[in-house]
Amino acid sequence: MELGIGMFGDVQIDPTTGKIQPAAVRMQQIVEEVKLMDQVGVDFFGIGEHHREDYAVASPEIILAAAATVTKNIKLGSAVSVLSSADPVKLFQDFATVDLLSNGRAELMAGRGSFIESFPLFGYDLKDYAALFDEKLELLTRLNKQDTVTWSGKFRKPLINQQIFPRPVNHSLPIWVAVGGTTSSVTRAARLGLPVMFAIIGGAPENFQPLFEMYQQAWVDNGHDIKDLQVGVHMHAFFGDDSKAVADKYYPIYANQMNRIGVTRGWPPYQRSQYDFGRSIHGHLVVGDVNQSVEKILHIIEMFGLTRFSAHMDVGSPDHSDMMRAIELYGTQIMPKVKEALKKTE
């Protein structure tokens, strides 16, 4: 069971003045935060790709390369790389480079992305949203398995006996697929034998149970050994020394970010009642003190039979000092208690 942290690189935005934190400041904070994650024993770190003013990170692999130089043990991956608007060859080379810099700790998580800014930015048509991902994921998995590739598709020039360098430390990279709630994404990952990370960022987690069951069945149906199955969830989270205090302090930060995104998607204003339900045992948020967080994480692990849990911890960009304390609590108290409880149930 692996317990890690995911981020999107949210920058702080003053709700009164609209002043935006410089991206350079947030990037430097992220590297410092990942360094602490490594020191306190967090298993993995994932950083997302966005092309918007309210997120600092457009190239996860560059942040991960920087983090590789100040860490020793933590796995370093994207969360996610928007494969649909990327070149799979260049993406594979970039992550192979991170893998070499980190002595074999790099991972790549591919997804279609929940924002669409990268499509016009890199010259892709949204009408090809699904077809782009299908084709590029097939090529990426081929590159990961073969030294010399012959391949042709619709959206890029063919590869004819093309060698791809550099190769990762162990010749291939761990590649995960991030999925939201679509059955096609689940069955595609199972067919290719790829682990999945479910993004549970709203509503009741139990609503995802049919997708987990579908993934497991499709995994077996496609001839893969059930012992090799890996599955994780990504949930919004934040931790503090006192449950009520951290919840009250984090609520306006979280709500402001939900409302910023909601304006572009037609969502109604975010309410405290949604937040409080999300923090309950039945909701999608892991926000509270150590004991409450341990209980919630164990509940989610048991519900889905997880091999990986990712706490997405920078929604709305809390203060750096609060992030550092949350990371410390996660690594030194929450993770050990979760893993000890899991050992007792084995």
Side-chain angles (χ1 to χ4, degrees):
M1 182 67 207
E2 293 182 310
L3 300 167
I5 292 174
M7 295 182 183
F8 280 176
D10 298 36
V11 295
Q12 292 182 350
I13 301 176
D14 190 300
T16 303
T17 65
K19 184 178 179 180
I20 299 176
Q21 179 187 38
V25 173
R26 183 68 196 115
M27 289 181 189
Q28 291 160 11
Q29 290 176 346
I30 291 171
V31 173
E32 187 176 348
E33 288 161 6
V34 180
K35 184 177 180 180
L36 177 60
M37 293 177 206
D38 188 53
Q39 292 170 350
V40 298
V42 174
D43 293 323
F44 67 89
F45 169 70
I47 184 72
E49 172 192 345
H50 293 86
H51 304 272
R52 299 162 51 98
E53 192 176 26
D54 48 348
Y55 296 102
V57 179
S59 300
E61 51 269 45
I62 295 180
I63 296 295
L64 298 174
T69 67
V70 297
T71 57
K72 296 180 180 179
N73 300 304
I74 190 170
K75 295 180 180 179
L76 301 168
S78 53
V80 302
S81 295
V82 184
L83 181 60
S84 304
S85 55
D87 177 10
V89 175
K90 185 63 167 65
L91 194 66
F92 179 82
Q93 290 177 315
D94 288 347
F95 276 83
T97 300
V98 175
D99 196 61
L100 295 171
L101 285 171
S102 64
N103 194 28
R105 292 185 283 127
E107 303 181 335
L108 199 165
M109 186 181 298
R112 294 189 291 183
S114 59
F115 295 92
I116 61 173
E117 288 82 5
S118 64
F119 285 81
L121 184 64
F122 297 115
Y124 292 100
D125 195 323
L126 270 175
K127 70 178 177 60
D128 298 320
Y129 184 81
L132 279 164
F133 187 76
D134 283 344
E135 178 175 298
K136 293 187 175 192
L137 184 60
E138 193 278 330
L139 175 55
L140 181 64
T141 55
R142 183 90 66 87
L143 297 168
N144 200 37
K145 294 176 181 177
Q146 300 176 4
D147 285 342
T148 303
V149 176
T150 296
W151 175 93
S152 64
K154 178 180 178 182
F155 298 105
R156 80 178 316 278
K157 294 292 186 179
L159 298 172
I160 309 298
N161 292 325
Q162 182 67 57
Q163 291 183 295
I164 310 299
F165 301 109
R167 300 303 302 183
V169 170
N170 295 312
H171 191 72
S172 63
L173 293 166
I175 296 178
W176 287 68
V177 176
V179 300
T182 61
T183 57
S184 60
S185 296
V186 169
T187 55
R188 179 196 301 110
R191 175 175 54 82
L192 294 171
L194 298 175
V196 295
M197 178 71 74
F198 287 88
I200 302 181
I201 55 175
E206 57 260 31
N207 292 336
F208 281 75
Q209 190 67 52
L211 286 174
F212 278 83
E213 294 172 355
M214 179 180 296
Y215 174 66
Q216 292 177 350
Q217 187 61 53
W219 180 272
V220 173
D221 290 345
N222 281 276
H224 305 300
D225 192 329
I226 194 66
K227 294 179 181 178
D228 297 328
L229 186 140
Q230 298 181 72
V231 62
V233 299
H234 156 109
M235 297 174 69
H236 292 167
F238 207 68
F239 314 113
D241 294 283
D242 178 86
S243 186
K244 184 178 186 304
V246 70
D248 289 344
K249 186 173 184 179
Y250 188 48
Y251 170 70
I253 298 169
Y254 188 82
N256 285 339
Q257 180 68 350
M258 291 297 101
N259 286 331
R260 277 191 291 268
I261 296 173
V263 166
T264 64
R265 300 186 178 184
W267 297 347
Y270 191 76
Q271 303 294 324
R272 180 65 192 240
S273 58
Q274 294 172 261
Y275 182 74
D276 290 339
F277 172 78
R279 293 182 61 238
S280 75
I281 198 68
H282 303 292
H284 68 285
L285 296 173
V286 188
V287 177
D289 62 17
V290 169
N291 290 335
Q292 183 179 0
S293 300
V294 168
E295 179 186 15
K296 185 70 167 284
I297 292 170
L298 286 170
H299 175 68
I300 295 297
I301 291 171
E302 181 180 358
M303 181 185 298
F304 298 120
L306 302 180
T307 62
R308 178 173 280 204
F309 174 84
S310 176
H312 185 140
M313 282 179 49
D314 69 340
V315 178
S317 193
D319 287 342
H320 177 54
S321 60
D322 292 334
M323 286 287 294
M324 295 290 275
R325 180 56 179 160
I327 292 165
E328 182 183 4
L329 288 172
Y330 187 62
T332 62
Q333 297 188 45
I334 295 172
M335 286 179 52
K337 290 187 176 184
V338 168
K339 292 190 176 187
E340 183 61 31
L342 292 173
K343 284 183 181 178
K344 293 178 180 178
T345 62
E346 289 178 352

